[in-house]
Amino acid sequence: MDSVDKYFEAVEQNQQQFIEALREVVAIPSVSGDAARRGDVVRMGEWLQARWEALGATCKRVDPGKQNLHGVELDLPPVILGQYGDDPSKKTVTLYGHYDVQPALVEDGWETDPFTLVERADGRLVGRGATDDKGPVLGWLLCAETHKQLGIELPVNLKFCFEGMEESGSEGLDEIIIAEADKWFKGTDVVCISDNYWLGKSKPCLTHGLRGVSYFHLVVEGPGADLHSGVFGGTVHEPMVDLVQLLASLVDSKGRIQVAGIYDQVAPVEAAEERTYDALDFNHAALVGDLKSDVVIHADERDTLKHRWRFPTLSIHGVEGAFHASGDKTVIPARVRGKFSIRTVPNMEPAAVAAAVTKHLEKEFSKLGSKNRMEMVETHAGRWWYSSPDHPNFVAAARATERVYGVKPDLTREGGSIPVTLTFEENLKRNVLLLPMGAADDGAHSTNEKIDRRNYIQGIKLFGAYLHEIAATDLAA
Amino acid sequence: MDSVDKYFEAVEQNQQQFIEALREVVAIPSVSGDAARRGDVVRMGEWLQARWEALGATCKRVDPGKQNLHGVELDLPPVILGQYGDDPSKKTVTLYGHYDVQPALVEDGWETDPFTLVERADGRLVGRGATDDKGPVLGWLLCAETHKQLGIELPVNLKFCFEGMEESGSEGLDEIIIAEADKWFKGTDVVCISDNYWLGKSKPCLTHGLRGVSYFHLVVEGPGADLHSGVFGGTVHEPMVDLVQLLASLVDSKGRIQVAGIYDQVAPVEAAEERTYDALDFNHAALVGDLKSDVVIHADERDTLKHRWRFPTLSIHGVEGAFHASGDKTVIPARVRGKFSIRTVPNMEPAAVAAAVTKHLEKEFSKLGSKNRMEMVETHAGRWWYSSPDHPNFVAAARATERVYGVKPDLTREGGSIPVTLTFEENLKRNVLLLPMGAADDGAHSTNEKIDRRNYIQGIKLFGAYLHEIAATDLAA
């Protein structure tokens, strides 16, 4: 029996103790979006730091500064940096996770108190943060603790970065990662983040791509003030009429972006990529179930995934400045601001995307013959992230997955963004792996959030197996 | 010197006293939209009732019941019905006006306290309610009082209906007019309402038409809940994308309604009507000044007026259910409700308008190929009003105007609606005249509301002259 098998056996034996540990951290209501809970967030960070220090880790608590939350000035919760082992002959794996959680109230529809972990007969461990992201963050700690109990030396050095503001915009985090890239994080060989989910409910995955997002405000204005539609309707160019024409020109109901040049920037689907969709754990029935309505555009499940992962999409979010309350109001709004965003994919460049959108809108606006004024503002541009699943970091994780679950992991991408991924990659200049622990139906930001006992326990095994595989991998290969 | 000339002379002599009376009523802050001012609204109604009763009128105070204003239960202010004179040999004129006012705060940009009447060197009498509608309501009272002082018998019987909720939806008024049509208002020969404005700043007018308004909600819904655009963008039919396509199909930037059949319902412009636009006191420079921006669609001033008065127009007011706050949010709203309305004109029928709009939207929606659901709801349909300016009521008012101002009045229509006009016409089955006292630039609902001394004083003359002309007119002619 090798040391990994011994570790697996100990994890099996420690299951109940691991669940008790999860119960202990779920009970700390570290809701970063609630000023009244800020003390609990800090307490959760301190809990983690104390437990890693008890194990022998060196920690540094970094305070990112102040925050103004709905008019209340608060200290931002600390970022806990840690180092566990510093053997120069070993590789160093840097971990990221977050110890804050989404808000949760029984009134929202929880079947049980959200901050009391409940194990259901079907194996669900229900509680706020169980899967996002306390289970995974705890998983790394329990992995290291179990190794120590067994007297098995961890085969790699660990560094870690656990923040308490992920659910509230990770305020202050990027600056710390940038500042510590060549200091605390110096010597990192690979990065691993466990803060996303499987594609389905049964099959593990590794995630190697995220879409970027460019967010735009389209402002149309004309009259000096809001007007009464009785007096002015039909005699002035209405900004809202122009705005809906412009928004309607951007995308059709089937999601096809109408902006010239956008699809030219998209990397083609090669045959090798096409094959990766063959074995994925994904089906439309589950999607329609999630949506509670069949409003799925694509008949083929592969097309659905491609449009989630690797094609750009354009969504219209709303309008600021127009009448938005209930009831009837006969106003002609003087200045309206349409909000839309484009999810970007390889090889789209934010500047080229913004240029194409601006050119398109200016052309469409000139067709209207309006005397109103139009302005296009890009308010945010986060880049996409793509990593080859052939990188040794992913190969090591795939081997670890196969050892724990007995199947090759799905190789997935995600439609949303996890900005810290790019921050680590760009500043540490090391490969980043997304290694999820939970399943697609965990309900991370929803009521009755859970992690399945299977995912939690096998996930702790997976983390250990991954560290052993990394130790055995030639990263230069 | 006939009795009208004597009356005119007395009005000239009483000017300062009339301004003091206006000062007294402006000082009562009868803001119907402010729960804290409800007592002042009632006090204003009681002031009017007492003063008419002191003159010898018989009044009846009708309490329309209760109102829920932002969660506060309030008594609605009384509708003051009155009768002054009941000589069966005289005609009876029924007057309508309102004694409540719009809100006004110095912080909104008033140069002086809004509830203290200030006379400016240029003749402006500045104060909330000066023109809307305390000046005109007081004008009728001062006209009757002046006659009495002069010992000149009013040549007609008066009935009146003064309400205190006009600025807040005239709650409860229609029911009272309907209930009293054959009781209190029995015997009415003509109705006169002074609650609108001249077309310009210098030339008096009579108003003989108003547009109707049909208000629509266009609901598009699909997914069971709001979605994250990262995960679902590009894979589901987005309700907001469908909604902007549908709204964009309704009208173009130049105000041309795209709904098939709408313009077929519109009465053609006859040569006689065309000529009425010749002498109107209206110019684009003033309009652009009001708008603080040249966003006027039509180059020709006649076209502007026709599109305000006698052509239908479609305005898009806003969207309920989408993201409307400031900032960026990457939501795909599950259910959105677009709000638009059509201003209607002779001979459009609300049912035919709604049918044409529904047919158009169903056709456009089917073109989208969307799996979302669409629903069109007509939330309100107020009819247009049109009265021939050749009716003896208007001819009498035109003669009175010429006697006071030395010019033939403009014959105008308005783009908005004054619903009480139709309520009186339909229930009393008598001709209704709109006889404005104030000018286009009075700023009725704005800061620094004013009535010019000229309009106020000549307006009081006009009211008297009109009553004498009505007495001398054969209404059956």
Side-chain angles (χ1 to χ4, degrees):
Chain A
M1 192 186 263
D2 77 356
S3 54
V4 174
D5 286 329
K6 279 186 203 153
Y7 169 69
F8 285 4
E9 193 177 78
V11 171
E12 284 290 331
Q13 285 163 2
N14 288 346
Q15 284 191 47
Q16 201 51 42
Q17 175 190 326
F18 292 172
I19 290 169
E20 292 313 313
L22 186 59
R23 190 185 316 279
E24 189 177 345
V25 295
V26 164
I28 302 174
S30 52
V31 180
S32 56
D34 180 350
R37 296 292 197 191
R38 185 54 53 91
D40 294 310
V41 183
V42 173
R43 185 156 60 94
M44 183 64 226
E46 289 168 348
W47 186 99
L48 268 181
Q49 178 173 352
R51 187 109 167 205
W52 274 102
E53 284 176 346
L55 195 61
T58 306
C59 290
K60 179 165 98 164
R61 173 183 164 141
V62 185
D63 290 304
K66 301 276 184 188
Q67 174 201 18
N68 190 305
L69 183 62
H70 309 311
V72 183
E73 193 177 72
L74 294 172
D75 288 323
L76 285 165
V79 173
I80 308 295
L81 301 181
Q83 166 135 14
Y84 183 63
D86 62 350
D87 183 339
S89 71
K90 293 181 185 171
K91 299 192 187 74
T92 298
V93 178
T94 289
L95 310 172
Y96 161 87
H98 64 92
Y99 60 80
D100 63 320
V101 297
Q102 283 276 319
L105 297 169
V106 173
E107 305 90 275
D108 296 340
W110 284 74
E111 291 165 6
T112 52
D113 172 43
F115 299 106
T116 302
L117 190 77
V118 174
E119 182 167 10
R120 298 293 197 166
D122 58 6
R124 284 182 296 143
L125 302 166
V126 180
R128 176 55 90 216
T131 195
D132 183 18
D133 186 35
K134 286 179 171 175
V137 164
L138 196 58
W140 294 114
L141 174 70
L142 297 172
C143 168
E145 286 180 346
T146 302
H147 276 80
K148 191 171 186 188
Q149 285 157 13
L150 294 172
I152 301 172
E153 200 180 332
L154 260 199
V156 296
N157 303 312
L158 294 181
K159 301 206 182 209
F160 52 82
C161 173
F162 298 135
E163 66 156 327
M165 279 296 282
E166 199 271 348
E167 303 296 0
S168 302
S170 292
E171 239 178 282
L173 180 69
D174 275 6
E175 295 74 3
I176 292 170
I177 294 172
I178 292 165
E180 298 287 357
D182 291 324
K183 295 175 186 168
W184 195 272
F185 297 121
K186 193 175 164 75
T188 296
D189 292 292
V190 292
V191 179
C192 181
I193 298 175
S194 184
D195 188 23
N196 68 315
Y197 307 93
W198 293 355
L199 181 57
K201 299 172 190 179
S202 56
K203 197 172 164 199
C205 71
L206 309 179
T207 304
H208 65 105
L210 299 166
R211 290 197 291 191
V213 61
S214 291
Y215 205 102
F216 301 100
H217 290 195
L218 173 58
V219 182
V220 182
E221 61 186 343
D226 287 358
L227 301 174
H228 187 289
S229 69
V231 182
F232 293 102
T235 66
V236 302
H237 297 279
E238 300 189 14
M240 189 64 184
V241 168
D242 290 351
L243 180 67
V244 298
Q245 302 287 346
L246 295 173
L247 292 175
S249 78
L250 291 168
V251 63
D252 71 14
S253 182
K254 296 193 175 138
R256 288 177 296 238
I257 300 174
Q258 307 293 308
V259 177
I262 284 291
Y263 290 109
D264 300 342
Q265 303 180 36
V266 178
V269 183
E270 307 289 356
E273 181 191 334
E274 189 68 54
R275 282 191 296 274
T276 65
Y277 292 90
D278 285 344
L280 295 175
D281 175 27
F282 182 75
N283 69 75
H284 266 164
L287 178 60
V288 170
D290 287 350
L291 295 169
K292 295 180 190 69
S293 174
D294 180 8
V295 288
V296 177
I297 293 172
H298 307 285
D300 182 337
E301 285 152 359
R302 288 159 181 255
D303 285 335
T304 293
L305 286 179
K306 285 178 194 162
H307 283 86
R308 176 186 292 184
W309 293 350
R310 62 106 57 236
F311 285 122
T313 57
L314 192 154
S315 293
I316 301 174
H317 309 296
V319 178
E320 182 182 345
F323 174 53
H324 61 78
S326 61
D328 297 357
K329 190 174 173 184
T330 54
V331 65
I332 297 175
R335 186 170 198 268
V336 288
R337 183 179 281 263
K339 314 270 181 93
F340 66 96
S341 67
I342 296 181
R343 296 282 165 176
T344 54
V345 297
N347 298 308
M348 297 167 79
E349 287 298 325
V353 171
V357 171
T358 302
K359 187 175 171 190
H360 169 86
L361 288 171
E362 285 174 350
K363 185 176 154 199
E364 292 296 319
F365 186 66
S366 73
K367 284 187 203 166
L368 299 182
S370 174
K371 291 182 181 175
N372 290 321
R373 293 173 300 285
M374 184 203 85
E375 189 192 3
M376 220 280 295
V377 185
E378 181 193 66
T379 55
H380 170 80
R383 293 178 62 85
W384 47 266
W385 169 73
Y386 180 84
S387 184
S388 165
D390 298 331
H391 187 278
N393 193 20
F394 282 79
V395 173
R399 272 200 297 262
T401 305
E402 210 166 343
R403 184 155 182 182
V404 173
Y405 284 100
V407 292
K408 280 189 200 302
D410 280 346
L411 296 174
T412 67
R413 291 158 73 173
E414 293 211 351
S417 46
I418 306 178
V420 74
T421 310
L422 260 183
T423 309
F424 275 112
E425 183 178 277
E426 289 176 351
N427 291 283
L428 274 56
K429 298 182 176 50
R430 290 295 179 273
N431 184 269
V432 181
L433 162 73
L434 301 187
L435 181 65
M437 178 185 262
D441 64 342
D442 282 359
H445 288 199
S446 187
T447 52
N448 306 305
E449 176 183 347
K450 59 89 179 171
I451 189 164
D452 291 327
R453 174 192 271 256
R454 173 201 185 208
N455 286 57
Y456 181 53
I457 299 301
Q458 301 300 78
I460 294 170
K461 287 186 195 168
L462 176 63
F463 289 179
Y466 163 68
L467 298 179
H468 284 271
E469 289 290 348
I470 283 290
T473 293
D474 178 2
L475 291 174
Chain B
M1 191 186 263
D2 78 355
S3 56
V4 175
D5 286 329
K6 279 187 201 150
Y7 169 69
F8 285 2
E9 192 176 78
V11 171
E12 284 290 330
Q13 286 165 359
N14 288 347
Q15 284 191 47
Q16 201 52 42
Q17 175 191 327
F18 291 171
I19 290 169
E20 293 312 315
L22 186 59
R23 191 185 313 280
E24 191 178 342
V25 294
V26 164
I28 302 173
S30 52
V31 180
S32 54
D34 181 349
R37 296 293 198 194
R38 184 53 53 90
D40 294 309
V41 182
V42 174
R43 184 156 60 94
M44 183 64 227
E46 289 169 346
W47 186 101
L48 269 180
Q49 178 173 352
R51 188 108 168 207
W52 274 101
E53 283 177 346
L55 196 61
T58 304
C59 291
K60 176 164 103 163
R61 172 184 166 141
V62 184
D63 289 305
K66 302 275 186 189
Q67 174 201 17
N68 189 306
L69 184 61
H70 308 311
V72 183
E73 194 178 71
L74 294 171
D75 287 325
L76 286 165
V79 173
I80 308 295
L81 301 182
Q83 165 134 16
Y84 183 62
D86 61 349
D87 183 337
S89 71
K90 293 179 185 172
K91 299 192 187 72
T92 298
V93 178
T94 289
L95 310 172
Y96 162 87
H98 65 91
Y99 60 81
D100 63 320
V101 297
Q102 281 277 317
L105 297 167
V106 173
E107 304 91 273
D108 296 340
W110 283 75
E111 291 164 6
T112 51
D113 171 44
F115 299 105
T116 303
L117 192 78
V118 174
E119 182 167 12
R120 298 294 198 167
D122 58 6
R124 282 182 298 143
L125 302 167
V126 180
R128 177 53 91 218
T131 195
D132 182 19
D133 187 34
K134 286 179 171 174
V137 165
L138 196 58
W140 294 114
L141 173 70
L142 297 171
C143 167
E145 286 180 346
T146 303
H147 276 80
K148 190 169 188 188
Q149 283 158 15
L150 293 172
I152 302 171
E153 200 181 332
L154 261 199
V156 296
N157 304 314
L158 294 181
K159 300 207 183 210
F160 51 82
C161 171
F162 297 136
E163 68 157 325
M165 279 296 283
E166 199 273 345
E167 302 295 2
S168 302
S170 291
E171 241 178 281
L173 180 68
D174 274 7
E175 293 75 3
I176 292 169
I177 294 172
I178 292 166
E180 298 286 355
D182 290 325
K183 296 176 187 166
W184 194 271
F185 298 121
K186 192 175 166 74
T188 295
D189 290 292
V190 291
V191 178
C192 182
I193 298 174
S194 184
D195 187 23
N196 67 316
Y197 307 93
W198 294 354
L199 182 57
K201 299 172 189 180
S202 57
K203 197 173 165 197
C205 72
L206 310 179
T207 303
H208 65 103
L210 299 166
R211 289 197 290 191
V213 61
S214 292
Y215 205 101
F216 301 99
H217 290 194
L218 173 58
V219 181
V220 183
E221 61 186 345
D226 287 359
L227 301 174
H228 187 288
S229 69
V231 182
F232 293 102
T235 66
V236 301
H237 297 280
E238 299 189 13
M240 189 65 183
V241 167
D242 290 350
L243 181 68
V244 298
Q245 301 288 346
L246 295 173
L247 292 175
S249 78
L250 290 168
V251 63
D252 70 15
S253 183
K254 295 189 175 142
R256 290 178 294 240
I257 300 174
Q258 306 295 307
V259 177
I262 284 291
Y263 290 110
D264 300 341
Q265 303 181 35
V266 178
V269 183
E270 308 287 357
E273 180 190 335
E274 190 66 54
R275 283 191 296 274
T276 65
Y277 291 91
D278 286 344
L280 295 175
D281 175 26
F282 182 75
N283 69 75
H284 266 165
L287 177 60
V288 170
D290 287 350
L291 295 169
K292 295 180 191 70
S293 175
D294 180 6
V295 288
V296 177
I297 294 173
H298 307 284
D300 182 339
E301 285 152 358
R302 290 160 180 255
D303 285 334
T304 293
L305 287 179
K306 284 178 193 162
H307 283 87
R308 178 185 293 184
W309 293 349
R310 62 104 58 234
F311 285 122
T313 59
L314 191 154
S315 294
I316 300 174
H317 308 296
V319 178
E320 182 182 346
F323 173 53
H324 61 78
S326 62
D328 298 355
K329 191 174 172 184
T330 54
V331 66
I332 298 174
R335 185 170 200 268
V336 288
R337 182 180 283 263
K339 314 271 181 92
F340 66 96
S341 67
I342 296 180
R343 296 282 166 177
T344 54
V345 297
N347 300 307
M348 296 167 80
E349 287 298 326
V353 171
V357 171
T358 302
K359 187 175 171 189
H360 169 86
L361 287 172
E362 284 174 351
K363 186 174 155 201
E364 292 295 320
F365 186 67
S366 73
K367 283 188 203 165
L368 299 182
S370 174
K371 292 183 181 174
N372 290 320
R373 295 172 299 283
M374 184 204 86
E375 189 193 4
M376 222 279 294
V377 185
E378 181 194 66
T379 55
H380 170 81
R383 294 179 62 86
W384 47 265
W385 169 73
Y386 180 84
S387 185
S388 165
D390 297 331
H391 186 280
N393 192 19
F394 282 80
V395 173
R399 273 200 297 262
T401 304
E402 209 167 346
R403 184 155 181 183
V404 173
Y405 284 101
V407 293
K408 282 190 197 303
D410 280 346
L411 296 174
T412 69
R413 291 157 73 172
E414 294 213 348
S417 46
I418 305 177
V420 75
T421 310
L422 260 184
T423 308
F424 275 113
E425 184 178 277
E426 290 176 351
N427 291 283
L428 274 57
K429 298 183 174 48
R430 291 294 179 270
N431 186 270
V432 181
L433 162 73
L434 300 187
L435 180 66
M437 177 185 263
D441 65 340
D442 282 359
H445 288 198
S446 185
T447 52
N448 304 305
E449 176 183 347
K450 59 89 179 170
I451 190 164
D452 291 328
R453 174 192 272 258
R454 173 202 186 210
N455 285 57
Y456 182 54
I457 301 301
Q458 301 299 80
I460 294 169
K461 288 186 194 167
L462 175 63
F463 288 179
Y466 162 69
L467 299 179
H468 284 271
E469 288 291 347
I470 283 290
T473 293
D474 177 1
L475 290 176

